[in-house]
Structure formats: C-alpha cells, structure tokens
Amino acid sequence: MKLSEIKNQLKNLTTIAFQLPNGDLVPNHFHVTEVGKITKHFIDCGGVVRSEEVANFQLWEANDYDHRLHPEKLVHIIELSEAKLQIPDLEIEVEYQMKETIGKFSLDFDGTNFQLKSKLTDCLAKDNCGIPPEKLKVKIGEWKPKETSCCTPDSGCC
C-alpha cells in the first residue's frame, strides 16, 4: 500500500485498526511515533548495486489509554511528513514491537482493518550465485506427462 492509498482509506474511516498476520489487533491505544523515509543502498550477492525506498510507520503502544489516534490526525501526520521530508508516494513499511524484536510488515487494507503483512527475505541474484530454481512439487498420482508433437517411442524417429 502506498501513502496515497492509506490517505484515501483513512478519509472514509472513523477509527483506525491494524491487524497482525496472526489475526490479533494492535491495541487500539497505539500511537504512530514515526513517519519517515528509509533509503536502503546495497549490493546483492551477485554484485549488483541496488537502492530501495519505503515510507516507514512505527507503531507503538503505551499505557496511555485515554488518547486514540483518529484517522484525520494520521492523515495530517502523513501529509506533514511528506512535505517536511519530501517523501514521494512510496510503499509503506510498518514497524511494530513484537515480543523479542521489531517486526517489519508491508501494509494492506481489507475494507475494515489495515493488515500488517509478513515480509520475507529473498536472494535477488539467484541467476548469478548458483541457486537452482525451485523444482515443482507434484504428487505422483497427479503428474501427467506433457503433450508433445514430437515422436513417440514406437515411431522409429528416435
């Protein structure tokens, strides 16, 4: 989800809820303590220099049960961040404190809640570092040979 998309969704909401991948909701007394732009400049294992940028939200919960973040306030925070930090319409990455470490999530919306989606690591240079492509796993009973127009074993062409 990009910044423009979350602002559009927030304009139609009266409350904000973030849902974790396991289905639990982030407690509704959360705060967005940071909105920023993160630039990652790196080299992959194949030697290719790469750059990525995301808009970053940090969710934090405190013992402040009397103040809830309202949609219009979050829109204001996003717009202020875009102006002051010159943040373009980037994909959003959300940080949230898990038990032992900070979790990083991508963001989606299901019509009611903002969905925190798990992120996974990946090799960006599989073709350069010798990692074979994943083989298709098929149950023996489900496997069917490909239909081909070439010769058959009895045709004498082989």
Side-chain angles (χ1 to χ4, degrees):
M1 173 175 281
K2 292 188 171 204
L3 288 171
S4 60
E5 294 170 292
I6 193 171
K7 290 189 300 185
N8 285 337
Q9 296 298 339
L10 288 167
K11 290 175 183 173
N12 298 317
L13 297 175
T14 55
T15 60
I16 307 170
F18 287 92
Q19 188 169 23
L20 294 161
N22 68 3
D24 291 346
L25 291 175
V26 171
N28 60 7
H29 59 278
F30 75 90
H31 294 265
V32 174
T33 58
E34 295 178 10
V35 174
K37 178 173 66 172
I38 294 180
T39 302
K40 181 178 173 183
H41 190 216
F42 61 101
I43 190 165
D44 68 26
C45 61
V48 176
V49 176
R50 298 176 185 264
S51 183
E52 295 177 358
E53 279 190 335
V54 294
N56 180 265
F57 290 12
Q58 186 180 83
L59 303 184
W60 179 71
E61 55 186 273
N63 296 328
D64 180 7
Y65 299 99
D66 297 326
H67 297 91
R68 303 287 191 270
L69 181 62
H70 295 281
E72 63 277 1
K73 177 67 174 179
L74 183 52
V75 169
H76 174 72
I77 293 168
I78 293 168
E79 289 174 345
L80 181 64
S81 301
E82 288 173 317
K84 296 285 184 182
L85 302 174
Q86 277 101 52
I87 301 175
D89 191 23
L90 296 173
E91 285 292 323
I92 299 167
E93 177 181 84
V94 178
E95 293 179 348
Y96 179 65
Q97 181 67 50
M98 306 304 287
K99 288 185 181 188
E100 287 103 26
T101 190
I102 296 171
K104 287 189 172 192
F105 304 91
S106 59
L107 192 62
D108 203 356
F109 187 68
D110 69 2
T112 304
N113 299 322
F114 290 101
Q115 302 287 308
L116 300 180
K117 299 291 187 179
S118 296
K119 295 179 81 167
L120 303 172
T121 60
D122 193 10
C123 176
L124 300 176
K126 290 180 185 97
D127 55 335
N128 288 336
C129 63
I131 296 175
E134 256 188 69
K135 293 182 180 179
L136 180 63
K137 295 179 183 180
V138 179
K139 293 180 182 176
I140 297 291
E142 296 174 356
W143 181 79
K144 294 179 184 161
K146 291 183 182 176
E147 304 250 346
T148 61
S149 59
C150 71
C151 62
T152 63
D154 321 328
S155 69
C157 68
C158 300

